[in-house]
C-alpha cells in the first residue's frame, strides 16, 4: 500500500503584497487630505457647492466635510468638529480600523468587519438623526 503525500499548505504571501492594500488606501487618503489641506474649502470657487444646500437650504450629512478635512489636515480638531462632527468622528473610527487592518496584514492574518443588517440600520439612523438635528433651530451647534 502506498502512502499519500501530505497536503501542501500554501506559502504565506510576501509582506509587500500583504501591505499593498492598506498602504494604497493610506496613500490615497494622504493625497486627498493633502490636496484639501492645501486648497482651502473656506475660500469660494475651489469646490462645487452642495446641491442640497444650494437649492433647499438644508444641510446634508456631508455639509462641512471638506472644511473638517481641511481643519484635520492643519491639526485643528475643534474646527473640524465644528465643521462636521459626524465626519470627524468617522475619520477617527476609520483610522482605528485602518490601524487594525495594517497590523493584521503585517502578521499575515485576515481582517474582517462582520456588520449585520442591524449595524447598517443603526448607522443610517445615526446619520438621519444627525442630519435632522443639525437643521433644527436647537441643533445649530452641529451646522457647519
Amino acid at each position: 500500500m502506498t502512502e499519500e503525500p501530505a497536503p501542501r499548505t500554501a506559502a504565506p504571501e510576501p509582506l509587500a503584497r500583504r501591505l499593498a492594500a492598506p498602504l494604497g488606501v493610506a496613500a490615497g487618503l494622504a493625497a486627498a487630505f493633502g490636496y484639501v489641506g492645501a486648497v482651502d474649502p473656506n475660500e469660494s470657487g475651489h469646490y462645487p457647492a452642495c446641491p442640497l444646500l444650494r437649492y433647499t437650504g438644508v444641510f446634508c450629512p456631508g455639509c462641512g466635510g471638506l472644511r473638517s478635512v481641511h481643519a484635520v489636515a492643519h491639526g485643528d480638531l475643534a474646527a473640524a468638529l465644528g465643521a462636521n462632527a459626524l465626519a470627524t468622528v468617522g475619520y477617527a473610527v476609520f483610522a482605528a480600523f485602518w490601524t487594525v487592518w495594517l497590523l493584521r496584514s503585517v502578521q499575515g492574518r485576515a481582517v474582517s468587519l462582520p456588520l449585520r443588517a442591524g449595524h447598517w440600520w443603526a448607522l443610517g439612523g445615526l446619520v438621519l438623526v444627525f442630519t435632522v438635528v443639525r437643521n433644527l433651530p436647537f441643533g445649530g451647534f452641529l451646522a457647519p
Side-chain angles (χ1 to χ4, degrees):
M1 189 169 231
T2 62
E3 289 185 30
E4 291 186 29
R8 294 175 53 150
T9 58
E13 289 186 13
L15 181 62
R17 184 167 176 90
R18 293 192 315 256
L19 294 180
L23 293 180
V25 168
L29 286 175
F33 269 69
Y35 179 80
V36 175
V39 181
D40 191 354
N42 294 304
E43 296 176 12
S44 63
H46 294 294
Y47 301 98
C50 173
L52 184 66
L53 180 61
R54 172 178 268 168
Y55 296 118
T56 67
V58 173
F59 295 117
C60 76
C63 280
L66 285 174
R67 289 187 292 277
S68 74
V69 167
H70 182 76
V72 167
H74 288 273
D76 191 353
L77 187 59
L81 287 167
N84 190 322
L86 186 63
T88 305
V89 170
Y91 307 149
V93 169
F94 182 80
F97 172 77
W98 182 86
T99 302
V100 170
W101 184 21
L102 180 69
L103 293 174
R104 286 181 166 258
S105 295
V106 167
Q107 297 167 348
R109 296 170 49 198
V111 64
S112 67
L113 191 61
L115 295 176
R116 297 189 179 119
H119 296 113
W120 290 110
W121 281 104
L123 181 61
L126 175 68
V127 171
L128 179 64
V129 167
F130 174 75
T131 304
V132 169
V133 169
R134 76 188 317 204
N135 284 288
L136 294 174
F138 66 85
F141 65 97
L142 292 175

